[in-house]
Amino acid sequence: MSQTRHFLTLKDLSPAELQQVLHRGIELKAMQKSGVVYEPLIHKTLAMIFEKSSTRTRLSFEIGMTQLGGHALFLSPNDTQIGRGEPIEDSARVISSMADAIMIRTYEHDMVKSLAQYSSVPVINALTNDYHPCQLLADMQTFHEHRGSIQGKTVLWVGDGYNMCNSYINAAAQYDFKLRISCPEGYEPIAAMMEQHKDRVEIIRNPLEAAKGVDLIVTDVWYSMGHEEEMRKRLRDFADYQVDQEIMEQANPDALFMHCLPAHRGEEVSAEVMDGPQSVVWDEAENRLHAQKALLEFLLVKR
Ligand code: CP
Ligand code: NVA
């Protein structure tokens, strides 16, 4: 349709562009903390479609738009015609005729692709069943702030091979690191992605073995949004995959722990690790704001 740039997965930006966004996120964070007012998005509106719950994503996009001088609009399926079956192609045309960008959190990734196809303004994926690329912008910025470049490092994903794990596979390729995935059988990430990146991504079932010498350990909930009915089965299937102190001790001594949150202490992570010295989860959550401001600037401001 047009040359509009979208952010549906990390592959929509080149590695160099992702580095640019990362460093800009660090700059925007410093500016905000020292009280600099920077409002390049004055009179611009971000339409935010949420078909799943959110705390961090809504806060960070809405506050980020305000800090950049713009405005964010919360759209829920309960209160819009999207929830009553208006085709996404039609919604895309209408919303993009008024808003300057669209953010969407939903179930099917194909729905976001259709939205982007028919939108005349940038579309940002704020989580689908398959990917959560905005979280990776924050995670990569957080690693960089604490340990410098992630290039050449080894990351361990423990748990469900779902949206966050798929985005870590993309991140391994785009930020140039090695990724180990420790998941129970039946909970593997998208097979085609594993195949495409088999030079740098491998599955090691035993998390204690997989953690040896890694620089970062990441996990996520065992039952994601939409999986609540499988909770009891999943609690059994994932029982051996809690990131605890024993797993952290296999990693490099300066290894970090991350979790996109919300977390369940005593399930995917022990309280000791979650609240321990290697955990950077609060910086990671805050960096959603700074990293996404950099993304919004990248997509919306001509430089
Ligand atoms: N990590 C994350 O996306 O959090 P929310 O679901 O609260 O937005
Ligand atoms: N995998 C989780 C991430 C939440 C931010 C979910 O999809 O619910």
Side-chain angles (χ1 to χ4, degrees), residues 76-87:
S76 126
N78 297 335
D79 313 309
T80 60
Q81 300 292 2
I82 296 173
R84 296 183 62 251
E86 182 167 15

Side-chain angles (χ1 to χ4, degrees), residues 250-267:
Q250 311 302 311
N252 282 336
D254 68 346
L256 298 174
F257 171 76
M258 289 192 198
H259 188 313
C260 64
L261 308 182
H264 299 91
R265 291 172 179 79
E267 292 183 11

Side-chain angles (χ1 to χ4, degrees), residues 48 54 129 134 185 241 258 278 290 303:
M48 307 190 299
S54 167
N129 292 349
C134 291
E185 280 184 40
Y241 289 84
M258 289 192 198
Q278 288 166 284
H290 309 297
R303 279 145 65 87

Side-chain angles (χ1 to χ4, degrees), residues 105 127 132 162-163 220-221 224-225 260-261:
R105 167 170 284 199
L127 183 143
H132 193 6
Y162 195 52
N163 44 17
D220 186 14
V221 291
S224 285
M225 291 181 278
C260 64
L261 308 182

Side-chain angles (χ1 to χ4, degrees), residues 120-231:
S120 57
V121 300
V123 171
I124 297 169
N125 172 9
L127 183 143
T128 61
N129 292 349
D130 293 345
Y131 303 101
H132 193 6
C134 291
Q135 183 67 51
L136 267 290
L137 297 181
D139 288 18
M140 295 298 102
Q141 179 174 330
T142 306
F143 188 93
H144 196 101
E145 287 173 346
H146 283 269
R147 296 285 182 266
S149 174
I150 200 164
Q151 185 172 31
K153 303 281 189 196
T154 302
V155 176
L156 170 61
W157 174 269
V158 182
D160 195 4
Y162 195 52
N163 44 17
M164 276 296 300
C165 182
N166 292 328
S167 282
Y168 260 90
I169 296 177
N170 277 341
Q174 299 296 75
Y175 296 87
D176 190 17
F177 59 81
K178 292 212 181 302
L179 178 65
R180 297 178 188 164
I181 295 167
S182 199
C183 62
E185 280 184 40
Y187 295 96
E188 292 80 9
I190 295 173
M193 295 183 71
M194 288 296 298
E195 178 59 26
Q196 189 186 353
H197 297 296
K198 60 185 176 204
D199 55 327
R200 60 173 76 243
V201 184
E202 64 178 327
I203 289 181
I204 301 177
R205 295 285 175 196
N206 181 341
L208 279 171
E209 187 193 324
K212 288 200 169 73
V214 303
D215 303 292
L216 168 64
I217 297 183
V218 195
T219 191
D220 186 14
V221 291
W222 288 343
Y223 39 95
S224 285
M225 291 181 278
H227 293 159
E228 291 82 359
E229 284 177 9
E230 300 170 23
M231 184 174 102

Side-chain angles (χ1 to χ4, degrees), residues 252-301:
N252 282 336
D254 68 346
L256 298 174
F257 171 76
M258 289 192 198
H259 188 313
C260 64
L261 308 182
H264 299 91
R265 291 172 179 79
E267 292 183 11
E268 73 274 6
V269 60
S270 68
E272 194 182 10
V273 170
M274 175 77 184
D275 302 310
Q278 288 166 284
S279 171
V280 290
V281 298
W282 311 121
D283 290 344
E284 187 188 357
E286 181 191 326
N287 280 338
R288 292 293 302 279
L289 171 65
H290 309 297
Q292 286 159 204
K293 282 170 71 180
L295 175 69
L296 289 164
E297 184 192 53
F298 176 86
L299 293 172
L300 293 176
V301 181

